[in-house]
Amino acid sequence: MRQLIFITLMLCTISITSCKKESSGDHPNEEVMLRINNWLDSQKPVNKPYKTEYIDLLKENIEPVNIRIENLGNGEKFLIVPVKEKFKTLKKLEMNSVINLLLVIDEAGKIRRGNVCQYFPKQQGSAQTIPVNTFYKLYNNKELDCDGSFRFLSVTGRRLYQYDYESGKLKSMGIVKPKTNSADNAAGRINTCWEWYYVTTYFNSDGEIIDETWQYLGTTCDGDDCQDQNNAMLCPDSETGSGGGTGDSGEACCVNDPNIQFTSEQ
């Protein structure tokens, strides 16, 4: 009961309007849900129906009662919104993962950016929960209280990057990167295309870089409609351009470039 009251009070702090007292004590703050839904609607790209559908399904499968808050830093906080198990079935995501909508809010409670986060516990059958303050520790370079992988997607379903932890320490970080090329289409016009790679950087126990690998994921071109689920995981949200993981509004969560916090030096 104490924890429930604490979470309710914390949610009140991100609302401009006063927090209305609910008679049953376990209803979500309506203002918070309104902000989340409005922000998600604002992330819908033009002429990308598959990506719009992804956001709509995400909205329908939020578990608002269990929303919690963690610090991030520089006046920003994480708003961690659990996503229902049904969402994994609908989008054919791995069933052994825990999914959250991870949002960053400022001191006034405005949503600045956000991602979908899939957590894969290292031990199969382990508790399907993420320990409190995990995201704070992850983005402030602290050891975690859990092992496994944290895969980050945009709220449109686009694959972005992943952190892998072992014994509480960062073992590797992968990020999706494009390489530009050109291809002739059937009409003889030159299309700009992007070959997408999953670039993985490996670290030793001291945080020093020890290796890097490139894995080819697929190719997308100008005009792709992204209706294929696999292509949609790579296809940019904007009408043109590769996006690159940081260029499109709402794609980058927490830090604009996930590489900036990792270095071979202390």
Side-chain angles (χ1 to χ4, degrees):
M1 184 64 182
R2 244 180 226 179
Q3 184 180 13
L4 180 60
I5 294 172
F6 175 74
I7 293 173
T8 303
L9 290 173
M10 289 296 290
L11 290 175
C12 289
T13 65
I14 69 171
S15 173
I16 292 178
T17 59
S18 61
C19 182
K20 295 183 180 179
K21 197 172 184 181
E22 300 288 350
S23 58
S24 65
D26 55 9
H27 291 288
N29 185 295
E30 292 182 2
E31 175 68 17
V32 175
M33 285 306 303
L34 180 61
R35 289 182 181 221
I36 292 172
N37 287 330
N38 287 342
W39 183 83
L40 285 172
D41 284 335
S42 73
Q43 304 305 300
K44 293 178 179 178
V46 178
N47 298 325
K48 305 280 186 180
Y50 185 89
K51 290 175 175 285
T52 296
E53 176 197 357
Y54 195 98
I55 291 177
D56 286 335
L57 283 176
L58 189 59
K59 288 171 57 180
E60 293 171 7
N61 287 278
I62 285 175
E63 293 185 338
V65 173
N66 295 317
I67 291 176
R68 73 176 193 271
I69 289 178
E70 291 181 13
N71 284 321
L72 172 56
N74 297 322
E76 293 183 321
K77 295 181 183 293
F78 286 121
L79 190 64
I80 303 163
V81 188
V83 177
K84 296 177 183 177
E85 292 289 303
K86 180 181 177 183
F87 184 76
K88 292 186 285 190
T89 302
L90 293 171
K91 300 311 298 178
K92 298 180 180 179
L93 300 175
E94 294 88 343
M95 297 304 293
N96 63 325
S97 63
V98 179
I99 300 183
N100 287 279
L101 173 61
L102 183 65
L103 303 172
V104 174
I105 58 175
D106 61 19
E107 292 177 332
K110 181 179 180 181
I111 298 173
R112 307 299 301 178
R113 50 200 181 275
N115 286 126
V116 171
C117 176
Q118 277 185 280
Y119 168 60
F120 300 86
K122 183 178 180 181
Q123 296 295 332
Q124 295 296 321
S126 59
Q128 296 293 296
T129 58
I130 301 176
V132 173
N133 288 325
T134 292
F135 292 109
Y136 164 76
K137 292 178 180 178
L138 192 154
Y139 281 99
N140 285 277
N141 296 320
K142 298 181 182 297
E143 290 191 16
L144 303 189
D145 300 316
C146 58
D147 292 333
S149 300
F150 296 84
R151 180 183 299 169
F152 290 84
L153 313 174
S154 73
V155 293
T156 63
R158 183 182 181 192
R159 188 176 177 183
L160 298 176
Y161 52 93
Q162 178 172 315
Y163 302 101
D164 297 296
Y165 276 79
E166 188 174 279
S167 300
K169 295 182 178 182
L170 182 68
K171 180 182 180 182
S172 65
M173 189 201 79
I175 184 170
V176 177
K177 290 185 177 181
K179 285 186 177 180
T180 307
N181 60 34
S182 298
D184 293 324
N185 63 17
R189 187 172 75 85
I190 301 298
N191 278 351
T192 300
C193 298
W194 295 271
E195 292 181 349
W196 295 92
Y197 293 85
Y198 185 67
V199 183
T200 305
T201 304
Y202 296 90
F203 305 87
N204 63 19
S205 59
D206 293 323
E208 299 170 332
I209 297 173
I210 57 175
D211 197 10
E212 181 179 274
T213 60
W214 288 64
Q215 176 188 355
Y216 175 72
L217 297 176
T219 299
T220 61
C221 299
D222 282 342
D224 283 352
D225 61 8
C226 296
Q227 290 305 298
D228 177 80
Q229 182 169 356
N230 293 324
N231 270 351
M233 294 291 283
L234 301 171
C235 188
D237 292 343
S238 58
E239 282 296 296
T240 58
S242 68
T246 60
D248 294 319
S249 175
E251 282 197 3
C253 171
C254 319
V255 286
N256 287 333
D257 181 355
N259 289 293
I260 64 175
Q261 58 181 313
F262 300 114
T263 174
S264 59
E265 299 177 357
Q266 286 285 18

